[in-house]
Amino acid sequence: PAAVAYRVSLAEVFMQDEKLKPAEDVAKQAVSLDPNDKKALITLGKIYQVQGTSRDALESYLKAAVLDPSDADPIYFSGQVYLEVGKFNEAMTQFQRVLKVNPRYPRAHASLGRALLRMQKYQDALTEANNERDLNPEMAEAYLLAGEAFYRMRQYTNCAAEYQKAVSKKGGTASVLVQMARCYRLS
């Protein structure tokens, strides 16, 4: 077990240093030592996801999810992969599974809302933004999602107000400020 934990930690350090090939090699070693180590599978999945190999990332995440069905993390990560590759129905399914396992999982409602937004279901995306806001009122992500939904619905005053709230929650990156200014200009 110590050898697996060491390799997982080393792979995480390599990944933080953006040394993805050594990180992948070390994570593969950890998984080969113990194919049932959930943390090793999740780490390998994250490395694959950063590298852009979504099929391998999904495989690692789903193996980890099978090992421990009560852990929502690998399910959430697989939903993120589906969202990245444009498979919005599959992403929605994964985020709904996350919420069944843990109804208070941080960012699950916001991620579900992102999938709905990409499917042009703006009102449903707003509902998910409000659900996330109820659970995590200090996170800017719900306000950003609502702002984007209002923008797509051409409700620019509401859009600007949501982006303003996101900025007040420390979500004030340059791109958010530009989006907020765009909504103010259009309103």
Side-chain angles (χ1 to χ4, degrees), residues 107-181:
R107 294 189 173 89
H109 284 287
S111 296
L112 178 57
R114 288 258 171 242
L116 289 164
L117 191 67
R118 301 270 164 44
M119 297 171 69
Q120 299 179 352
K121 297 181 179 182
Y122 306 128
Q123 198 59 46
D124 293 337
L126 277 175
T127 301
E128 292 304 323
N130 288 330
N131 290 339
E132 185 70 40
R133 193 178 325 201
D134 291 343
L135 291 174
N136 302 300
E138 294 304 313
M139 288 176 39
E141 194 163 346
Y143 302 99
L144 296 173
L145 174 61
E148 191 173 341
F150 280 127
Y151 175 77
R152 301 251 177 116
M153 293 167 57
R154 299 177 188 259
Q155 296 179 15
Y156 301 119
T157 303
N158 292 336
C159 170
E162 292 297 330
Y163 282 126
Q164 184 66 44
K165 290 175 190 172
V167 168
S168 72
K169 302 293 180 188
K170 297 187 177 54
T173 63
S175 65
V176 173
L177 294 173
V178 168
Q179 291 169 331
M180 182 175 64

Side-chain angles (χ1 to χ4, degrees), residues 77-96:
F77 296 142
S78 65
Q80 290 292 339
V81 171
Y82 282 126
L83 196 58
E84 288 172 8
V85 297
K87 294 186 176 184
F88 306 124
N89 285 325
E90 290 87 345
M92 274 183 37
T93 302
Q94 295 303 319
F95 296 132
Q96 288 166 344

Side-chain angles (χ1 to χ4, degrees), residues 5-24 26-27 39 43-44 46-47:
Y6 168 75
R7 283 179 173 76
V8 169
S9 297
L10 183 59
E12 289 172 347
V13 168
F14 280 141
M15 193 166 72
Q16 287 173 352
D17 290 343
E18 297 180 10
K19 296 178 181 177
L20 299 179
K21 185 59 179 157
E24 178 185 350
V26 173
K39 188 169 182 182
T43 301
L44 183 59
K46 287 179 181 178
I47 293 165

Side-chain angles (χ1 to χ4, degrees), residues 59-71:
E59 184 179 327
S60 287
Y61 290 146
L62 295 176
K63 281 181 185 177
V66 168
L67 291 174
D68 185 3
S70 67
D71 185 5

